[in-house]
Amino acid sequence: MSTLQTPTGTGGLTPARSYTGRILFFAFLGTLFDGAELNLVGYPLSYLAESFHVSTIQIIQVATLQGFASIAGGILCGWLGDLYGRRWTYTGSVLAFGVAALLGGLAPSYFLFLLTRLLAGVGMGGLFGLSFSMFAECWKTRKRGMMGGSIQAMYFVGQILTEGVVYVCLVEFGEDRGWRTGYVLIGVTTLVIGIAAAVLLPESEQWLEYQRELKAGRVPEKLRRTKIPLLDVFRGGYAAGTILFMGLATALFLTTNSLISYLSTFLIKVEKVPLGTASLIVLLGLVVTGITYPLTGILSDVMKRKWAMFASALFGVLGFGWFLSLVLSGSAKIGTDFWASPTFWALMMCAGGSGGFGVLGIWMAEFFPTRVRSSGSNLSYYAGRGFGAGLFPLVALSLAGTVPLALALGIVGPVAAAVLAVVAPDKTGRRIEAIE
């Protein structure tokens, strides 16, 4: 990267390396918190149900409502990010997440816990689109796939950290105090990061330049952002792409959240696997998925985003198809000797089948123009999370009737992703400008 001086928008100058490095640092953390947030409900699901004396389905409902809250947060934070800047919107999102985790650990009732998850949903609605908007607008090369995939891989680093913190707290403090302590620790840490973002995160230079040119009246009428950027992503030839990206995001969340929502419960409650072994299996699945993200990103620089997504989805179809056949034949068995179990390897293939997430963020950032990049990316991603991560797990369990079959119904995700990838617009490696 160049060492030329780059304005920060804060009244001074900073080396380009420092500018890019700080944006990348917080982009990585943004997707980390995004993943950590979702796993706060999925991993300790059975313990949450016991603490609040409710059924498993009621905790799944929390995840569903949180998913829909993230749609509202995505729309709000995308709008704020495009109108008022990436920096402060990102900071507010992180702080909201931290407050929600802290209060969630202290919640005395199911209803109050639900309210904290709704706040978390709104807060995390800003993290994905803002992280990839900032990255795309500062990265100078057209080979964005590997770095974009690496940023998205932090989603699973967040899940792994959440699992690790909650697991240690469960072992040390017991079931009720354990998950609560984990929530508090994660919340406090997140608040510290939010404060750091307010001080250290620079504003996007592309966004600042657009604002300057807009204020000076030098932006052509057709390239001006309206006061409601959400509407702009359905105008000027962007409507079809927006809808297709919403579908792709939904398909990918169906893929990942079948595992996130049901894998721990399948292992612990159905197969009676000890907590330590079950946590190791979940961890291995997250590691597999995290590895596939940058690999799919690298592949996308070679063969375009859509074909990398297509290849990843086909791998997921094979994995879920294998697991579904084991469930239907009554052979989906796994124990402490999980390495020898076909079920384990089928689940690892399922975990690897969501590698398309490694290209989705940068794919959308390249599609949308700077004036509505945050709005378009956030709307598409969080609409997908609402339907795929929120609604589908609830519907899947209602339709399937059993946890193993509900998990296997995740095959819908990679099938849909493969189909949608073929028809989605692709602008792999295009030059990104402030005014476009």
Side-chain angles (χ1 to χ4, degrees):
M1 300 297 295
S2 170
T3 57
L4 296 175
Q5 297 294 300
T6 302
T8 64
T10 58
L13 295 174
T14 187
R17 286 182 185 272
S18 174
Y19 166 78
T20 302
R22 283 188 285 160
I23 285 180
L24 285 177
F25 176 76
F26 286 102
F28 273 98
L29 285 178
T31 50
L32 183 149
F33 289 133
D34 202 26
E37 173 56 44
L38 207 58
N39 214 25
L40 277 175
V41 175
Y43 177 66
L45 187 148
S46 59
Y47 304 113
L48 293 172
E50 291 173 7
S51 290
F52 294 118
H53 308 291
V54 297
S55 65
T56 298
I57 198 73
Q58 286 176 281
I59 300 299
I60 293 293
Q61 288 172 347
V62 171
T64 299
L65 294 173
Q66 178 177 301
F68 284 117
S70 72
I71 299 177
I75 294 171
L76 174 64
C77 295
W79 173 71
L80 292 174
D82 283 330
L83 285 185
Y84 301 108
R86 318 315 193 192
R87 177 190 184 189
W88 291 113
T89 308
Y90 173 97
T91 299
S93 294
V94 173
L95 291 175
F97 167 73
V99 169
L102 178 61
L103 295 180
L106 303 175
S109 69
Y110 171 79
F111 177 71
L112 291 176
F113 177 76
L114 171 61
L115 292 180
T116 67
R117 292 298 86 204
L118 294 178
L119 173 61
V122 172
M124 71 185 181
L127 296 176
F128 178 89
L130 291 167
S131 294
F132 277 97
S133 292
M134 293 188 299
F135 162 63
E137 290 162 4
C138 81
W139 197 247
K140 301 303 181 183
T141 74
R142 298 185 182 186
K143 296 291 185 180
R144 305 181 182 103
M146 182 184 71
M147 186 60 73
S150 299
I151 290 173
Q152 188 60 25
M154 293 299 288
Y155 182 91
F156 281 90
V157 174
Q159 290 201 19
I160 291 169
L161 288 176
T162 298
E163 181 187 339
V165 170
V166 175
Y167 172 75
V168 170
C169 290
L170 286 169
V171 172
E172 291 294 322
F173 303 108
E175 295 181 0
D176 182 68
R177 287 185 59 201
W179 72 260
R180 291 180 180 278
T181 303
Y183 267 57
V184 170
L185 290 175
I186 291 170
V188 170
T189 302
T190 306
L191 290 174
V192 172
I193 298 298
I195 294 171
V199 177
L200 300 174
L201 176 63
E203 184 56 88
S204 162
E205 277 304 307
Q206 298 277 19
W207 181 84
L208 286 172
E209 182 180 347
Y210 181 86
Q211 293 298 109
R212 287 192 294 266
E213 294 298 301
L214 184 66
K215 185 176 181 179
R218 291 190 290 265
V219 177
E221 183 68 30
K222 65 178 182 179
L223 300 182
R224 293 181 184 178
R225 182 184 55 230
T226 68
K227 292 184 178 180
I228 308 177
L230 177 63
L231 299 180
D232 291 348
V233 302
F234 293 101
R235 300 174 16 176
Y238 293 103
T242 299
I243 293 170
L244 286 169
F245 282 123
M246 289 170 65
L248 275 169
T250 299
L252 289 172
F253 273 112
L254 294 185
T255 306
T256 59
N257 278 74
S258 296
L259 291 169
I260 292 171
S261 296
Y262 296 120
L263 182 55
S264 294
T265 302
F266 167 68
L267 296 171
I268 296 171
K269 297 298 183 180
V270 178
E271 291 301 303
K272 309 300 181 184
V273 177
L275 175 62
T277 303
S279 297
L280 176 59
I281 294 171
V282 172
L283 174 61
L284 291 172
L286 296 176
V287 170
V288 167
T289 307
I291 291 172
T292 64
Y293 281 13
L295 289 179
T296 308
I298 293 171
L299 187 63
S300 77
D301 280 333
V302 176
M303 58 188 301
K304 290 188 176 293
R305 314 295 183 219
K306 66 162 54 192
W307 298 119
M309 173 77 76
F310 182 78
S312 174
L314 285 185
F315 189 80
V317 171
L318 293 175
F320 276 99
W322 187 8
F323 182 72
L324 177 60
S325 69
L326 291 171
V327 171
L328 294 177
S329 66
S331 304
K333 303 299 179 182
I334 191 170
T336 53
D337 58 341
F338 58 88
W339 292 104
S341 169
T343 299
F344 169 75
W345 294 108
L347 289 170
M348 292 303 102
M349 287 187 67
C350 294
S354 58
F357 261 131
V359 302
L360 183 65
I362 193 58
W363 191 359
M364 292 193 297
E366 290 174 330
F367 174 74
F368 294 107
T370 298
R371 64 183 182 276
V372 293
R373 181 166 292 118
S374 178
S375 295
S377 297
N378 266 10
L379 173 65
S380 301
Y381 181 81
Y382 289 104
R385 171 172 277 185
F387 292 114
L391 183 60
F392 182 78
L394 183 63
V395 173
L397 186 59
S398 300
L399 291 175
T402 66
V403 168
L405 188 55
L407 197 163
L409 287 180
I411 193 173
V412 173
V415 169
V419 174
L420 294 171
V422 174
V423 297
D426 194 320
K427 298 183 180 180
T428 298
R430 78 168 179 88
R431 183 181 177 88
I432 291 176
E433 302 283 1
I435 301 172
E436 50 189 17

